[in-house]
Amino acid sequence: MWKDINAVLFDMDGTLVDSMWVWHKIDVEFLEQRNIPYPDELVSDIEGMSFVQTADYFINKFHLPESTEKIQQIWNDMAREHYANDVFFKEGAWEFLKELKSKNKKIAMGTSNSRELVNVLREKYDLDQFFDAYVTADEIVNGKPAPDVYLRAAKEIDTNIKNCIVFEDMTNGIIAGNSAGAKTCAINDSFSAPIWEEKKKTADYHIESYLDLPEVY
């Protein structure tokens, strides 16, 4: 698994931290406040979209009067307190970051979330002690499954994408890593448990938790 791997690229939500529940809660509350029924296809439709793309989707899908920027700010405001107080690392993730750092692996994040909420976790956990770069959905045009976020992350840490492994919890994120040219590892998450078999087939490797990983070398 670690042969020729010089860097590790992480998705954030559902991969490093247990936070997918936050976004489901926000989507439900956001639509309820506007008396809009929650559509069955919403989760699959927005999977992997960047923050901007998701806001545009909501505006077009539900005929909202707000601008893309306004929708993003509403969501950031709704999520900020959760990220500061209720979002925690997944089992073994913190220890894995420490191990990667001790083995001198470069570490970068490629997330569909906003820079604002990434910064909440950066400050909360002092993530800069581990991470060499962060690429957020604010900074790319095409969200996952396009490879843009991971290509940009590899470039930011001056590493050939073929020497990177991507950890992801969603199929579109795994496809993004594959398309970029990286190795990929799917991690299980309760939110995406129904598509676990699909994720396992799409990724090069798969783990139930970070405790299942072989020692880094």
Side-chain angles (χ1 to χ4, degrees), residues 21-40:
W21 63 271
V22 172
W23 292 104
H24 178 69
K25 179 180 174 66
I26 285 172
D27 290 342
V28 170
E29 290 178 356
F30 180 87
L31 294 176
E32 280 182 349
Q33 290 167 2
R34 291 157 177 78
N35 296 313
I36 299 172
Y38 187 97
D40 294 337

Side-chain angles (χ1 to χ4, degrees), residues 16-145:
L16 268 181
V17 294
D18 183 13
S19 55
M20 293 301 289
W21 63 271
V22 172
W23 292 104
H24 178 69
K25 179 180 174 66
I26 285 172
D27 290 342
V28 170
E29 290 178 356
F30 180 87
L31 294 176
E32 280 182 349
Q33 290 167 2
R34 291 157 177 78
N35 296 313
I36 299 172
Y38 187 97
D40 294 337
E41 69 276 10
L42 182 61
V43 173
S44 59
D45 279 358
I46 65 176
E47 180 191 336
M49 283 186 181
S50 72
F51 214 49
V52 173
Q53 287 174 318
T54 306
D56 287 340
Y57 170 92
F58 267 69
I59 290 168
N60 293 325
K61 174 80 171 179
F62 304 115
H63 309 293
L64 303 179
E66 294 94 342
S67 68
T68 301
E69 293 76 16
K70 180 62 175 178
I71 296 293
Q72 290 177 273
Q73 192 55 57
I74 290 170
W75 289 340
N76 278 327
D77 291 342
M78 293 174 75
R80 191 180 300 107
E81 186 172 346
H82 286 305
Y83 275 78
N85 300 306
D86 308 322
V87 168
F88 305 101
F89 270 84
K90 298 188 71 167
E91 181 183 46
W94 185 262
E95 292 76 13
F96 181 43
L97 289 173
K98 290 173 66 175
E99 183 181 11
L100 291 173
K101 195 68 175 179
S102 72
K103 298 297 174 64
N104 296 314
K105 303 293 185 185
K106 291 184 178 180
I107 307 173
M109 182 182 291
T111 175
S112 298
N113 209 326
S114 69
R115 172 69 63 169
E116 183 174 342
L117 294 178
V118 168
N119 285 342
V120 171
L121 292 184
R122 283 176 73 180
E123 181 176 349
K124 177 180 178 180
Y125 288 112
D126 187 21
L127 290 184
D128 290 356
Q129 66 183 299
F130 301 120
F131 282 84
D132 301 293
Y134 307 84
V135 180
T136 71
D138 309 272
E139 298 144 7
I140 58 167
V141 175
N142 301 307
K144 304 166 186 177

Side-chain angles (χ1 to χ4, degrees), residues 132-178:
D132 301 293
Y134 307 84
V135 180
T136 71
D138 309 272
E139 298 144 7
I140 58 167
V141 175
N142 301 307
K144 304 166 186 177
D148 302 33
V149 68
Y150 288 123
L151 290 172
R152 170 83 174 266
K155 184 177 181 180
E156 290 282 337
I157 57 174
D158 194 26
T159 302
N160 190 318
I161 191 68
K162 294 186 182 301
N163 298 119
C164 299
I165 185 167
V166 168
F167 283 81
E168 266 282 358
D169 70 305
M170 297 296 283
T171 305
N172 276 348
I174 297 167
I175 293 171
N178 290 340

Side-chain angles (χ1 to χ4, degrees), residues 138 179 192 206:
D138 309 272
S179 299
S192 57
H206 60 270

